[in-house]
Amino acid sequence: MNINSINMKQIATAISQKTTSQEVPADSISLGTTSSSGFMNNLNQLKQMSETGKIEGTSSIGSKQFWVNQATHMTDFFAHVSKDEVDGGFYTHIDSAGKVSNENEKFLMPTSRQIYSYAAAYELTGDKKYLELAKHGVDFVLKHHMQKTDNGEVFWMQKVDKKGNMAEGETEKPLAINEQTYGLTGLIACYKVTKDPEILEIIKGGHKFLTNHFTDKENGGFFDSVNNGTFEANKTKSYNSTVYPATSALLDMADIAEGDWKKEILGQLKELSGDFIKYFPDSSTGFIKENFTSDWKEDWRGWQKQPEGTIGVTGHNTQGALFLLRAEKLLSKEGLLTDEESKTYKDSAKNILDSILEKGYDKEKGGWFDVFVRETGKNMWHNNKAFWQQEEGYLATLAMSKIDGDPKYKEASDKTLQFWDNYFIDREIGGDRQTVAQDGTAQTDPKGGPGKSSYHAVEMAKLAIDIGNW
């Protein structure tokens, strides 16, 4: 039960409708409808529980209980609105009101991310309902999204229908590396809490596919995608092929790996972080570079190449800095960095973060803007703030505040967290908002889609607790 999710408007509504049964979000408290006296007893109990929480300070912003509350708020909401009890898995498309808007499309990434969220909630609370929810998602993913090669490699198809049938045209689409590694995200988290050997073998098979087909043995790093059939790489690289494989899979995979497998993963993390330090920082714009040829020449393409200039994503800058700090922490612990290398990681992260604090952070209201023209530093298309970028900005500045005494990092992390808590967490309907205006005004974007579920808010909670112990 999440005391933070109690909303006085809900209580007032329930008082006025004492005998009317009503459905409420799973992360809210059912106040009862049997009788007036029963209702008042529940209300008094609710009041006492709320006051006790305030006295003990268990949910003060940024505390461990605050983060546990956020994680359970998110998982309870998505379990309530997206779980498919008939055909398995989770519905992908959830509108701003918390309703399923399209039952016939299920995507791998939001499903895998929900599995991660439930496994993390189980790890944080010990409540077995979250473990059952994680297994519910795993069963669907393994049955309908997973593909295996003859030599035991595992890869993932992204889109299926309600019953799990492959969507038309899926087999002709390239296999993007970030989609492949996010397919492992939930399984890694689930293995951490179950130690299921079958899941471990599938994770190993997915890592084998990644290593065998996406690795650039000539110039280092991973390619963006491979052909779905021949598995031939497309020979381009990007932010997606460098940072996301690490943050969606390899950093957590290193925690469950042993022996030669672990050495291989740690080697990949050192290579990717080294590539990031060498090729991504751009002193001419203050934003990182994000698109490259196979030999690491700058190569902007797609929506990130506009007549106004190249488009930088604020969250990619903060997430990149956080990646370096997390990689440094892990690789130093494993004895794989010299003191000089460790300093280079921290200095590179600091330089990126200092630049983006000046260009992408809202000093007046708190929180992080979305996309910019890198060459001019002007916002592109809008001044909105996106959910996932608040997570990355908060965690990056929180992590930097642990290793650098400059108060600007703690100030930015505190202010971002306050903005996030005030405007992104929806305590009336449940879940978190995808986008808000600069001043925090809610937009009507969906709460669930191919790129969004409960993951970012739960990962934010889990990593905030971890980084708090640095």
Side-chain angles (χ1 to χ4, degrees):
M1 179 168 54
N2 183 350
I3 296 299
N4 282 352
S5 70
I6 299 168
N7 184 280
M8 295 310 296
K9 184 184 292 185
Q10 289 178 324
I11 294 174
T13 301
I15 291 172
S16 67
Q17 300 177 353
K18 293 177 185 176
T19 59
T20 302
S21 177
Q22 56 181 327
E23 184 178 356
V24 295
D27 61 321
S28 299
I29 293 178
S30 176
L31 297 176
T33 60
T34 56
S35 69
S36 177
S37 60
F39 175 84
M40 292 310 297
N41 287 335
N42 285 336
L43 188 59
N44 289 332
Q45 183 184 29
L46 174 63
K47 182 180 178 182
Q48 291 171 5
M49 292 166 62
S50 179
E51 288 174 349
T52 299
K54 290 176 183 176
I55 292 169
E56 296 177 352
T58 55
S59 60
S60 60
I61 191 166
S63 68
K64 182 177 180 179
Q65 188 59 49
F66 170 89
W67 291 120
V68 173
N69 288 347
Q70 175 164 302
T72 56
H73 169 91
M74 292 298 300
T75 48
D76 288 352
F77 169 76
F78 272 90
H80 178 70
V81 302
S82 71
K83 184 181 180 184
D84 185 347
E85 299 279 8
V86 177
D87 294 306
F90 305 106
Y91 295 116
T92 292
H93 300 279
I94 309 298
D95 66 20
S96 61
K99 303 295 183 183
V100 177
S101 58
N102 180 347
E103 289 190 354
N104 203 44
E105 289 184 348
K106 294 176 179 175
F107 284 81
L108 172 67
M109 281 178 62
T111 300
S112 180
R113 285 166 158 179
Q114 281 208 59
I115 295 168
Y116 169 96
S117 299
Y118 297 125
Y122 173 70
E123 189 176 2
L124 290 171
T125 67
D127 190 332
K128 290 186 178 180
K129 74 176 182 181
Y130 297 117
L131 189 58
E132 292 303 315
L133 286 161
K135 291 178 178 178
H136 178 82
V138 169
D139 289 345
F140 189 87
V141 164
L142 299 189
K143 184 176 181 180
H144 299 294
H145 290 281
M146 184 175 68
Q147 305 289 312
K148 284 188 176 181
T149 65
D150 293 337
N151 66 347
E153 297 171 342
V154 171
F155 64 101
W156 310 98
M157 304 305 294
Q158 293 303 305
K159 183 180 176 182
V160 298
D161 67 13
K162 185 181 189 303
K163 294 184 177 297
N165 301 310
M166 192 78 65
E168 185 177 354
E170 281 297 292
T171 56
E172 283 74 51
K173 294 179 180 177
L175 302 174
I177 188 170
N178 56 316
E179 294 177 343
Q180 292 300 306
T181 55
Y182 267 116
L184 297 172
T185 301
L187 296 180
I188 296 168
C190 196
Y191 176 76
K192 282 186 177 182
V193 296
T194 64
K195 305 302 181 186
D196 185 330
E198 179 185 356
I199 293 178
L200 182 62
E201 289 307 305
I202 292 168
I203 294 168
K204 288 181 177 179
H207 180 250
K208 185 178 179 182
F209 184 85
L210 173 78
T211 301
N212 289 348
H213 301 292
F214 288 92
T215 301
D216 183 353
K217 296 178 181 178
E218 182 178 353
N219 297 299
F222 292 133
F223 293 116
D224 280 316
S225 64
V226 299
N227 179 276
N228 188 352
T230 66
F231 301 146
E232 182 179 352
N234 72 351
K235 307 297 185 182
T236 65
K237 296 171 184 173
S238 68
Y239 183 93
N240 286 0
S241 68
T242 306
V243 175
Y244 280 132
T247 57
S248 65
L250 295 176
L251 283 166
D252 283 336
M253 197 184 293
D255 285 344
I256 65 172
E258 297 177 345
D260 290 340
W261 184 37
K262 182 166 187 171
K263 290 179 182 178
E264 182 179 25
I265 294 167
L266 292 172
Q268 290 172 330
L269 284 167
K270 187 169 183 180
E271 181 176 309
L272 291 172
S273 52
D275 290 338
F276 187 87
I277 291 170
K278 185 174 182 179
Y279 299 115
F280 282 68
D282 182 5
S283 59
S284 65
T285 68
F287 290 86
I288 61 170
K289 302 172 186 176
E290 297 192 30
N291 296 275
F292 304 90
T293 60
S294 62
D295 56 354
W296 295 106
K297 292 182 175 63
E298 198 170 358
D299 180 34
W300 293 88
R301 54 189 178 268
W303 64 267
Q304 286 189 273
K305 185 177 182 179
Q306 296 289 332
E308 295 89 341
T310 56
I311 306 304
V313 182
T314 303
H316 285 172
N317 287 260
T318 54
Q319 187 182 30
L322 178 63
F323 161 53
L324 292 182
L325 296 178
R326 292 178 67 194
E328 188 280 330
K329 193 81 172 173
L330 173 62
L331 296 173
S332 291
K333 178 184 175 183
E334 298 292 335
L336 296 176
L337 295 181
T338 65
D339 290 345
E340 184 177 352
E341 287 174 324
S342 177
K343 185 176 185 302
T344 298
Y345 275 60
K346 293 175 182 177
D347 288 347
S348 297
K350 177 180 171 63
N351 290 338
I352 293 168
L353 201 52
D354 284 350
S355 179
I356 203 65
L357 269 170
E358 290 300 316
K359 295 176 179 292
Y361 174 71
D362 187 346
K363 296 183 180 67
E364 180 185 354
K365 300 181 183 298
W368 299 81
F369 295 113
D370 185 7
V371 283
F372 285 78
V373 180
R374 296 169 67 254
E375 291 77 7
T376 64
K378 294 182 179 180
N379 283 11
M380 185 69 178
W381 297 308
H382 56 76
N383 294 331
N384 293 341
K385 299 171 182 176
F387 72 108
W388 70 272
Q389 306 208 45
Q390 311 315 306
E391 177 208 359
E392 305 299 349
Y394 169 72
L395 293 173
T397 49
L398 177 67
M400 187 58 72
S401 74
K402 294 291 184 177
I403 62 176
D404 190 290
D406 192 325
K408 68 182 180 183
Y409 302 118
K410 187 175 188 310
E411 180 182 347
S413 66
D414 287 348
K415 203 168 182 178
T416 296
L417 181 55
Q418 191 66 65
F419 187 89
W420 164 264
D421 191 53
N422 285 344
Y423 300 112
F424 276 92
I425 298 298
D426 187 344
R427 292 181 173 85
E428 293 189 20
I429 295 174
D432 63 339
R433 299 180 176 94
Q434 184 169 169
T435 310
V436 302
Q438 181 178 358
D439 64 358
T441 302
Q443 309 297 291
T444 57
D445 296 331
K447 289 184 172 173
K452 184 182 185 303
S453 61
S454 53
Y455 171 74
H456 285 90
V458 176
E459 184 192 44
M460 181 182 185
K462 192 170 186 303
L463 290 183
I465 293 172
D466 292 344
I467 293 170
N469 294 322
W470 281 13

